[in-house]
């Protein structure tokens, strides 16, 4: 399960941008100084990626309520979905770390690793094909139904590959691990015909039971008189989940202790599930404690809300300074890239490069789909165009596993969205028309600071064309990227003169150099991207003035 709300984090030396833009050095132009902005994230639903070690499958687990391989009933002919475990594990990811890194990614986001119940759930409404929030017959294969946040779920590790071993093995292959965390709920807790031994319970690091819902509706809990009820709210939550009491200090202590343990074992950043279900005050306390332990630790939250004003609050320091998954931009991305003939101008409406609500729009996590919504339903060309945008425009790109081949495009949860990918599909992935263009643009972003952290100055977002600069002038780096995108079915010759700095520009892909004075022209292939780089300071006065304005207006003034 997931829920939402996010935060953006500013380093101390970046604070003058938000609070006193006039204090900036005259030559300082950048979108963000956030170190995590250099990352590109590949999102893996661990159980559904690759079964690298069949010995941890636990195929006999659960008895009458077994947990392995549970097909969703009612699937149309030739279709499938599954709510049981399918065997994906740490070894399956490590075995394919070279594949992920070779695609151009630098981090892997994995779903929660904490211990989940050992039976399928018997409460709630029965899982049906294409249904949502229906959990009867479902297991915790996804990891979001924690019963012990200090304990690693038994389906994930292999010999010498616990979580610490996993993060070390990934780091050896130049990949960081982003850990998905949950703080507002545990496992499903009530509506079972007969109480199951683990659902609705919570254990601590010593194996002591600290909370028990006892299969009671939330309104029947008695937290004042019964110690094991005190972890939970009595107002109910989502889909029979045990809802943590954000006002109980023991809840915060439990979570800080558990997630501090996983930081010690190598978690490089957190993705915060369902952040909107806890108040800002709770997340501020949590962030302060985590960053007391690990200064500057990056966290991004999920607030499943398409209103920028609603999700932006999480990004401010007073609320914990989280980044967020950029749902408002996601809505525009699918609108543009699912539909041939759509207008790039739609994306401009959700960038908020000036006078927007976010602490810093450049620190947002950009994406077009995930495990909680229908996958993008686009042609191959739509995926290529989306990737060309995500890896050149502002924000930190996140790609859901399998999207490099258009896997399960258009499919929602319980209709194939989370289907097993597997080694055979990975081995065949380079044959997909989507694969090579993604690899090309992702590797370019990985090697180009301006595309990671540069200020974005739009020249043209119209029809099938997008033209913009990314300018990075900070701490001795002087790099400008001129990006030209064409999502039409035929090549287009694009000419740029607005804000163009004279000098020696080079093609970012070929290295070919050209001396530019007043105009730069290039033919951009159908569904293609051209990027030109200038490694020199910006001296053109109107460009400098516009960049200074963008610097001053990229974050609203604090209240």
């Amino acid at each position: 399960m997931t829920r939402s709300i996010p935060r953006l984090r500013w380093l101390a030396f970046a604070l003058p941008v938000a609070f006193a833009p006039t204090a900036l050095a005259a030559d300082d132009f950048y979108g963000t100084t956030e170190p995590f902005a250099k990352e590109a994230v590949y999102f893996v639903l661990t159980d559904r990626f690759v079964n690298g070690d069949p010995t941890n499958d636990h195929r006999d687990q659960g008895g009458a309520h077994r947990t392995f391989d549970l097909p969703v009933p009612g699937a149309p002919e030739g279709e499938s979905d599954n709510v049981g475990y399918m065997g994906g594990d740490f070894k399956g990811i490590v075995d394919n770390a070279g594949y992920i890194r070779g695609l151009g990614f630098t981090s892997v986001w994995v779903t929660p690793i904490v211990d989940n119940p050992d039976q399928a759930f018997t409460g709630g409404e029965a899982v049906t094909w294409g249904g949502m929030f229906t959990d009867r017959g479902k297991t915790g294969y996804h990891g979001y139904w924690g019963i012990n946040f200090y304990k690693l779920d038994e389906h994930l590790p292999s010999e010498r590959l616990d979580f610490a071993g996993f993060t070390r093995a990934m780091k050896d292959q130049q990949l960081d691990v982003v850990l998905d965390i949950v703080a507002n709920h545990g496992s499903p807790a009530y509506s079972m015909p007969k109480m199951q031994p683990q659902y609705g319970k919570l254990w601590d690091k010593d194996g002591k039971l600290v909370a028990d819902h006892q299969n009671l509706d939330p309104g029947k809990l008695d937290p004042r008189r019964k110690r094991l009820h005190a972890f939970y709210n009595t107002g109910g939550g989502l889909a029979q989940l045990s809802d943590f009491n954000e006002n109980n200090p023991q809840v915060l202590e439990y979570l800080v202790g558990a997630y501090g343990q996983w930081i010690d074992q190598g978690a490089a950043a957190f993705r915060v599930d369902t952040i909107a279900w806890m108040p800002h005050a709770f997340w501020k306390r949590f962030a302060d404690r985590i960053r007391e332990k690990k200064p500057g630790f990056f966290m991004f939250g999920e607030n499943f809300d398409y209103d920028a004003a609603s999700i932006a609050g999480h990004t401010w320091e007073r609320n914990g300074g989280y980044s967020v998954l950029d749902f408002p931009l996601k809505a525009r991305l699918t609108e543009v890239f699912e539909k041939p003939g759509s207008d790039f101008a739609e994306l401009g409406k959700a960038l908020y490069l000036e006078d927007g609500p976010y602490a810093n729009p450049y620190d947002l996590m950009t994406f077009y789909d995930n495990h909680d919504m229908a996958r993008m339903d686009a042609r191959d060309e739509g995926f290529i165009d989306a990737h060309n945008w995500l890896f050149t425009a502002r924000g930190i790109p996140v790609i859901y596993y399998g999207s490099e081949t258009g896997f399960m495009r258009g499919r929602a949860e319980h209709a194939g969205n989370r289907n097993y990918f597997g080694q055979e599909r990975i081995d065949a992935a380079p044959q997909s028309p989507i694969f090579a263009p993604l690899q090309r643009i992702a590797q370019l972003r990985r090697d180009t600071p301006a595309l990671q952290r540069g200020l974005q100055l739009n020249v043209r977002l119209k029809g099938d064309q997008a033209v913009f600069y990314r300018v990075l002038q900070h701490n001795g780096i002087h790099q400008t990227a001129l990006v030209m995108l064409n999502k039409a079915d035929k090549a287009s010759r694009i000419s740029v003169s607005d804000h163009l700095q004279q000098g020696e520009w080079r093609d970012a892909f070929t290295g070919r150099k050209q001396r530019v004075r007043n105009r730069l022209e290039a033919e951009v292939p159908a569904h293609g991207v051209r990027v030109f780089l200038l490694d020199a300071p910006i001296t053109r006065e109107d460009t400098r003035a516009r960049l200074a304005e963008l610097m001053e207006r990229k974050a609203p003034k604090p209240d």
Side-chain angles (χ1 to χ4, degrees), residues 17 21 24 28-30 455 547-554:
V17 178
L24 280 170
D28 254 2
F29 303 125
Y30 54 85
L455 198 66
L547 292 171
E549 183 180 29
L550 288 168
M551 284 293 293
E552 182 172 349
R553 296 174 62 182
K554 69 181 176 182

Side-chain angles (χ1 to χ4, degrees), residues 14 26 29 38 68 94 133 183 199 204 213 218 258 345 367 395-396 400 437 445 455 482 527 547:
F29 303 125
K38 71 181 186 301
F68 194 87
V94 171
F133 305 119
Y199 282 98
D204 68 10
H213 219 282
F367 71 108
I396 305 168
Y400 188 33
R445 185 188 188 276
L455 198 66
L482 171 59
H527 304 287
L547 292 171

